[in-house]
Amino acid sequence: MSSELSPIDKAKYACAVKSVDFVKDGMRVGLGTGSTAAWMVKRLGERVRDEGLNIVAVATSTRTAQLAEEVGIKVSTLNEVEWLDLTIDGADEFDPDLNLIKGGGGAHLQEKVVATASERMIVIADAAKDVPQLGAFPLPVEVLNFGWKTTRGLIEEALEDLDVDGREITLRMSGDEPFITDEGNLVLDLHLKRIGDPRRMALILNQIPGVVENGLFIDICDVVVIGHEDGKVEVRGLGGQIMEEGTVDLGAPNLFKDI
């Protein structure tokens, strides 16, 4: 498998495989969305098939739910399960305090609801997502279709009083059409370059009429599993504490060739 994957994919594979070790029999598990999370779902499906692992999963998007069902994972809804033992999801950036930017895949609303309904949130990410300060990755903000241009104007006004290095806002597109979330909303991407105070930013954005949710995850993540291209993995807790280090075999059969 090693020769078939790019360096970044090797890192994603490593953290995805390691993260599934946190899942125990009988757990209620939230399944994230994105390329790294998809690999985690397939690895979890392997454990269900080969070990008889008995879990109930709640997906954060329709595409994750479809993948989970394909690999034999029992999928339920959050209304049915209500509370989860664990959520495993990716991130676009994480800082030393384990604050995150999420939403590159446009699923951050459901991802935040599922993560906050969990006893623990474990983030899986390659080492490039580890940043000293959030903001280089555009911040996604889900907004109502109704009056979205007015909402964008209100966000532009709010950014004038916030500690950021950029203020460009773009409507996310899917080909020639606006990208539509699972809830039927639009996504505005805020190109801020640097976010001086993520907590204040998150609070102010969610007070703006028309904003449904932003992609800042503050005080939600408990553990980050960081993957490297050589197969090394690092499990990091709050305060930068190194909880565990190890290596994932990159020579294992390629279970993820279709992702």
Side-chain angles (χ1 to χ4, degrees):
M1 182 192 72
S2 179
S3 62
E4 300 176 21
L5 295 180
S6 67
I8 191 70
D9 283 335
K10 293 175 184 177
K12 291 180 178 182
Y13 172 88
C15 64
V17 169
K18 175 60 183 176
S19 70
V20 175
D21 290 347
F22 287 90
V23 180
K24 307 301 179 185
D25 197 63
M27 276 189 169
R28 298 157 298 176
V29 183
L31 304 179
T33 296
S35 59
T36 311
W39 289 16
M40 173 272 298
V41 171
K42 294 207 73 174
R43 172 60 178 166
L44 193 56
E46 183 192 38
R47 288 193 60 195
V48 169
R49 183 185 69 243
D50 295 346
E51 302 174 20
L53 184 70
N54 180 29
I55 61 171
V56 175
V58 172
T60 56
S61 67
T62 54
R63 57 188 182 274
T64 294
Q66 291 168 356
L67 176 60
E69 290 174 344
E70 288 173 5
V71 300
I73 298 173
K74 180 182 178 181
V75 177
S76 186
T77 67
L78 189 57
N79 281 335
E80 293 170 329
V81 177
E82 294 191 27
W83 297 103
L84 302 167
D85 298 294
L86 179 69
T87 286
I88 305 177
D89 203 350
D92 298 302
E93 286 184 344
F94 65 92
D95 70 11
D97 295 321
L98 303 191
N99 295 316
L100 320 171
I101 286 182
K102 289 179 52 55
H108 54 284
L109 171 56
Q110 288 193 24
E111 288 172 335
K112 189 176 286 189
V113 172
V114 170
T116 54
S118 304
E119 292 295 327
R120 300 178 76 194
M121 181 191 189
I122 295 175
V123 162
I124 48 178
D126 60 87
K129 305 298 193 303
D130 185 2
V131 298
Q133 191 169 34
L134 300 178
F137 190 91
L139 175 63
V141 178
E142 185 163 341
V143 300
L144 295 176
N145 196 326
F146 176 81
W148 72 267
K149 291 184 178 180
T150 299
T151 303
R152 181 182 61 186
L154 293 171
I155 294 174
E156 289 172 342
E157 290 182 10
L159 291 180
E160 293 178 2
D161 296 323
L162 292 170
D163 183 13
V164 296
D165 286 347
R167 294 181 173 83
E168 179 186 4
I169 301 175
T170 57
L171 176 66
R172 185 176 299 185
M173 304 295 290
S174 178
D176 295 330
E177 300 294 329
F179 173 85
I180 304 297
T181 70
D182 280 356
E183 279 68 44
N185 299 315
L186 303 176
V187 173
L188 298 176
D189 287 312
L190 280 53
H191 303 264
L192 307 174
K193 300 181 181 179
R194 181 189 60 84
I195 302 174
D197 189 340
R199 187 182 304 276
R200 182 166 182 257
M201 169 77 71
L203 290 172
I204 288 176
L205 287 175
N206 279 6
Q207 291 175 356
I208 296 173
V211 169
V212 180
E213 189 53 82
N214 69 82
L216 286 166
F217 283 51
I218 310 297
D219 297 334
I220 297 176
C221 174
D222 299 287
V223 173
V224 175
V225 181
I226 305 167
H228 299 264
E229 63 183 73
D230 60 359
K232 291 181 180 178
V233 291
E234 173 188 325
V235 181
R236 188 182 302 174
L238 296 172
Q241 177 187 5
I242 305 300
M243 303 170 61
E244 185 180 349
E245 292 180 298
T247 303
V248 168
D249 181 12
L250 294 179
N254 185 8
L255 302 172
F256 312 118
K257 59 185 178 181
D258 58 335
I259 295 180

